[in-house]
Amino acid sequence: MAKLTVIPWRAPVAAGPVDAVVHLPGSKSVTNRALVLGALATGPSTLSSPLLARDSALMVAGLRALGTHVSTAADDRWVVRPGPLHAAGHIDVGLAGTVMRFLPPVAGLAAGPATFDGDALARRRPLGPLIDALRRIGVRVDGGPGGVLPLTVHGTGEVRGGEVVIDASASSQLVSGLLLAAARFARGITVRHVGPPVPAAPHLRMTVQMLRSAGAGVDDATPDVWSVAPGRLSGRGWEIEPDLSSALPFFAAALVTAGTVVLPGWPRSSMQPVEQLRGLLRAMGADVRLGTGGLTVRGTGRVHGLDADLSGLSELAPVLAALAALADSPSTLHGVGHIRGHETDRLAVLARALGTLGAEVTELADGLRIVPRPLRAGVVDTDRDHRMAHAAAVIGLAVPGVELSDVACTSKTLPDFPALWSAMIAGD
C-alpha cells in the first residue's frame, strides 16, 4: 500500500493587529467528565455546548460500548441515559488520556471483559498506578508489563472499593479516573497520593467540584487524600464552558500582533484555571479583562519573558513556550516534567521545534529555558500533537514561512482550528 503523503500546512502571517471575536467549543475536560458522571447517574443528563472533537467522540463510543445510551444527534445538546453496564469488547482510546484513565474503572462496574487500546503513541502513556489501584480494590485487569496499553478489564458488575495508595505524579487523571466512578463502588474509595506533587491540580479540583454537583460525597480536606462515599449520582444538566487550552493560541495572537481577541460566553465562575492564565498573560504584556462580553485579551505591542511554575497548567506550556520564543527577554518554564508522558515527549518536541526555527532552547529536567533569537522559516514536526500545532501557528503569525508537518492533529480537541485561525487573521 502506498504511503499517504501529508502536505505541510503553511501558518498564515498576520499583516497587522488581529481584531476578532472567536467562538470556541466546550471544554474537553468538562465534557468528558460530564459524560462519565452521566453514565453512572440514576437518571438522564444533558450536556449543553459539548466539545465536538476526537477525544469526546472516543469517550462517547467507549461509554456506548459499556451500555450507556448517548444521543449526539444535536451538536449543541447531548443526552446521556444510563443503563445497566455491560462490556461489549474493544474500546479505542485513541490518544485521549481521559478515555484511557476514566473508563477502566467504569469497565470494572460492567459485566464482561473490555479491552482497551489506542494509537501507537498511546502505548507510551503511563497507566501502571491506575492498574495497580484497580487490582487492589477488587478489579481483575490483564495487561502487559510496564503498566501501559493494551489492557483488559474483566468486569463483574460490581467493585469492592476501599483505600488505595498510589503515585499519581505522572498525571492527575490517575486519581480523577478512580474518583469519578467511586460513588458506585460498594465501599466508595479513599485515594492517598505518595510521591512528587500531583500535576495539573486544577483538573483534580474540577473532578471534585463536578462530583459534588452530581450529588457525591467527597472529602478532600487532607492534602493528597481524596475520599468519595458510596452513594447515588444524580442526572443533571451541564453547561459546558469554552475550552481554556484551546483558547490560549487565540489569546496569544493578540499578544504577538498587538491586537484584540474576545472569547464570548466565558462564565464568571469557571472550573478551569482562568485566573492563573490571566496572571501569566499579564506578566507577558497583555491586558486581560473578564466582562459581560466575555474574556478579552489585548496585546500591548511587546511580549515579555516569563519565569513560571506551570505544574498546574501543563496543557498551556507549548503555546507559552512559543510566546517565549517571540519575547523580549529569556524565559524559564518549569514544573512540567510530566508532559514528557503526554501525547508525545512535549519537552523534547518543543525544544526541537523551536530550535528548528532559530530559538535557543535548553531542556531542563522539568521544563525549558528559552532565549529569544531571530527566528526563521522552517517546517515544524508536530509529532501528531495538537498543542505543538497550536504553538507553531502562533510563531507563524510573526515569522513568514513557518509550516506544520500535520495540522490535522488539531482534530483531537479543536477540529475547526485551521479555519478559525485563518478567519481570525483575515478579520472574517
Side-chain angles (χ1 to χ4, degrees):
M1 179 182 295
K3 185 177 180 180
L4 180 64
T5 300
V6 178
I7 300 174
W9 183 74
R10 177 160 291 205
V13 178
V18 299
D19 186 1
V21 177
V22 181
H23 295 269
L24 292 180
S27 162
K28 173 196 72 174
S29 299
V30 179
T31 296
N32 279 0
R33 283 166 173 77
L35 286 168
V36 172
L37 292 172
L40 298 172
T42 56
S45 297
T46 59
L47 281 66
S48 298
S49 302
L51 171 68
L52 307 175
R54 188 185 184 212
D55 276 18
S56 55
L58 289 167
M59 182 65 83
V60 167
L63 289 171
R64 286 172 175 164
L66 294 173
T68 300
H69 175 80
V70 185
S71 172
T72 58
D75 287 350
D76 61 347
R77 188 175 184 272
W78 292 356
V79 180
V80 183
R81 293 185 177 88
L85 293 174
H86 57 82
H90 178 72
I91 293 176
D92 179 11
V93 309
L95 263 177
T98 51
V99 180
M100 71 178 70
R101 294 174 180 136
F102 292 1
L103 287 191
V106 178
L109 292 163
T115 298
F116 293 81
D117 203 358
D119 297 358
L121 291 175
R123 294 187 174 190
R124 304 178 187 174
R125 305 193 71 175
L127 286 172
L130 176 63
I131 294 171
D132 292 343
L134 287 172
R135 288 170 175 162
R136 286 198 292 271
I137 59 175
V139 180
R140 178 185 162 196
V141 184
D142 293 339
V148 294
L149 294 171
L151 62 86
T152 300
V153 177
H154 298 271
T156 61
E158 60 182 10
V159 174
R160 182 181 68 246
E163 183 170 331
V164 294
V165 178
I166 71 171
D167 179 353
S169 58
S171 173
S172 65
Q173 292 172 351
L174 299 167
V175 176
S176 287
L178 293 165
L179 300 183
L180 287 167
R184 291 279 298 269
F185 299 166
R187 302 179 190 171
I189 202 166
T190 295
V191 180
R192 298 180 183 275
H193 163 70
V194 176
V198 179
H203 286 87
L204 264 175
R205 289 194 290 271
M206 177 189 295
T207 296
V208 169
Q209 183 177 344
M210 292 183 69
L211 275 164
R212 286 174 174 154
S213 296
V218 187
D219 182 356
D220 63 343
T222 302
D224 289 334
V225 180
W226 303 266
S227 295
V228 178
R232 295 160 62 92
L233 297 176
S234 302
R236 51 157 294 165
W238 298 98
E239 294 285 340
I240 312 297
E241 61 190 59
D243 191 273
L244 188 64
S245 298
S246 294
L248 180 56
F250 297 91
F251 293 155
L255 269 78
V256 172
T257 69
T260 302
V261 172
V262 180
L263 177 63
W266 200 266
R268 284 287 185 177
S269 178
S270 173
M271 287 190 285
Q272 300 175 87
V274 74
E275 286 304 315
Q276 294 96 313
L277 177 59
R278 289 172 71 180
L280 292 172
L281 291 176
R282 285 172 174 153
M284 298 193 87
D287 177 67
V288 188
R289 300 179 187 274
L290 178 60
T292 56
L295 191 59
T296 301
V297 177
R298 293 183 176 88
T300 57
R302 296 183 65 184
V303 180
H304 305 311
L306 187 70
D307 187 331
D309 180 353
L310 301 181
S311 56
L313 304 162
S314 57
E315 284 291 306
L316 310 181
V319 171
L320 292 175
L323 283 172
L326 295 167
D328 58 9
S329 60
S331 296
T332 303
L333 308 178
H334 49 92
V336 288
H338 62 284
I339 69 174
R340 294 186 185 278
H342 278 202
E343 283 82 344
T344 185
D345 180 342
R346 282 185 170 162
L347 293 181
V349 174
L350 270 169
R352 183 172 66 244
L354 296 178
T356 295
L357 300 178
E360 180 184 325
V361 185
T362 303
E363 281 191 59
L364 309 175
D366 69 339
L368 298 171
R369 170 75 172 168
I370 302 167
V371 179
R373 296 286 185 243
L375 300 181
R376 57 179 178 262
V379 178
V380 173
D381 182 1
T382 64
D383 207 22
R384 291 171 285 179
D385 187 337
H386 57 146
R387 304 300 181 203
M388 296 301 119
H390 294 164
V394 167
I395 292 178
L397 292 168
V399 181
V402 173
E403 296 184 332
L404 285 63
S405 64
D406 173 24
V407 76
C409 62
T410 56
S411 65
K412 186 177 191 293
T413 50
L414 189 56
D416 293 335
F417 176 77
L420 287 167
W421 194 253
S422 298
M424 173 188 68
I425 295 168
D428 295 342

